[in-house]
Amino acid sequence: MKYNTYIFDLDGTLLNTLNDLAASCNYALRTYGLPEHSVDDVRRFVGNGVRLLMTRAIPGGESYPKFEECYACFRQHYLHHNLDTTAPYPGIMEMLGTLLKNGKNVAVVSNKFYQATQDLVHHFFPDIKVAIGERPDIHKKPAPDTVNEALRQLGAERDTAVYIGDSDVDIDTARNSGMPCISVLWGFRDRQFLLEHGATMLVSEPEEILKD
């Protein structure tokens, strides 16, 4: 463990949230009489916040006349159903436990809206004290703002920190934040996609993060 600080993405990295995201997406679409999507469709839509997820899911995106109402419907449903099937990926709890036991700084940054990020991290990972979701006062990933805020709250140095995520957005976030990126292969994007988008360090199991 050569790093002192580990900053994690949430969806597709620590938690498998896909089925709950898809269920809330389709609930909102169904409520407004719009065509629903498969879980694989939703997998392709996620990665840069739930507003963009719904922009991709709704025919016409934000030009749809009732976009804001449909998006609000999704948010409300998801806040009440984000624990229905969501769970940590195998090996995540053990990996995080080892990092914390060894005195490492650990934080979560996500483009998920703030309340959902807080709720999920507090529920599954109560020992992680710094969890930052989408906030109106800071730019979301791939801007470095959320990572910078995590470093500030942790009181941690950038030059001994690493970012861990599962998407191209995470690769860009790490680059924009001036830190290395570990790309995980159990999340929402596959090896080929990650390599095509600049991944340089890939891991297949959470325990491998402890070796970097």
Side-chain angles (χ1 to χ4, degrees):
M1 292 179 283
K2 65 182 180 182
Y3 303 106
N4 290 330
T5 299
Y6 292 74
I7 298 179
F8 290 89
D9 172 54
L10 186 60
D11 295 49
T13 301
L14 297 178
L15 295 177
N16 186 351
T17 57
L18 186 59
N19 287 330
D20 287 342
L21 286 168
S24 292
C25 174
N26 283 329
Y27 174 85
L29 295 173
R30 189 164 60 249
T31 298
Y32 284 83
L34 299 171
E36 298 180 35
H37 291 281
S38 69
V39 173
D40 278 343
D41 286 341
V42 175
R43 181 192 300 275
R44 291 191 293 272
F45 297 160
V46 298
N48 203 11
V50 291
R51 186 178 182 90
L52 186 56
L53 160 61
M54 293 306 291
T55 300
R56 291 166 171 165
I58 294 171
E62 292 189 5
S63 65
Y64 171 62
K66 294 184 177 180
F67 176 85
E68 295 298 338
E69 293 96 320
C70 189
Y71 174 53
C73 180
F74 164 86
R75 286 174 60 104
Q76 187 65 23
H77 187 272
Y78 187 68
L79 278 173
H80 288 91
H81 294 275
N82 59 28
L83 294 175
D84 287 0
T85 65
T86 288
Y89 288 99
I92 289 294
M93 300 303 292
E94 294 82 359
M95 178 270 295
L96 291 175
T98 299
L99 290 177
L100 292 167
K101 183 179 69 175
N102 283 276
K104 303 299 184 180
N105 299 309
V106 179
V108 173
V109 298
S110 176
N111 279 344
K112 185 187 292 293
F113 50 100
Y114 186 83
Q115 190 59 55
T117 300
Q118 291 284 306
D119 290 348
L120 288 169
V121 172
H122 290 163
H123 178 81
F124 288 107
F125 316 115
D127 292 331
I128 296 179
K129 304 306 181 185
V130 176
I132 301 167
E134 183 181 13
R135 288 177 11 189
D137 59 323
I138 53 178
H139 295 100
K140 67 181 183 179
K141 301 184 294 183
D145 300 39
T146 51
V147 173
N148 292 340
E149 177 63 12
L151 291 172
R152 185 192 70 79
Q153 291 189 25
L154 289 168
E157 299 296 328
R158 187 182 310 273
D159 59 3
T160 56
V162 64
Y163 184 91
I164 302 100
D166 74 305
S167 73
D168 52 324
V169 173
D170 295 313
I171 294 167
D172 291 341
T173 299
R175 183 183 303 113
N176 293 337
S177 301
M179 62 179 59
C181 182
I182 298 174
S183 298
V184 308
L185 294 173
W186 55 80
F188 298 162
R189 302 289 185 262
D190 62 23
R191 178 186 295 271
Q192 187 60 37
F193 179 94
L194 293 169
L195 289 173
E196 289 174 356
H197 287 83
T200 57
M201 292 189 289
L202 298 102
V203 294
S204 299
E205 302 289 341
E207 65 181 15
E208 295 177 44
I209 292 170
L210 302 175
K211 301 173 184 177
D212 288 303

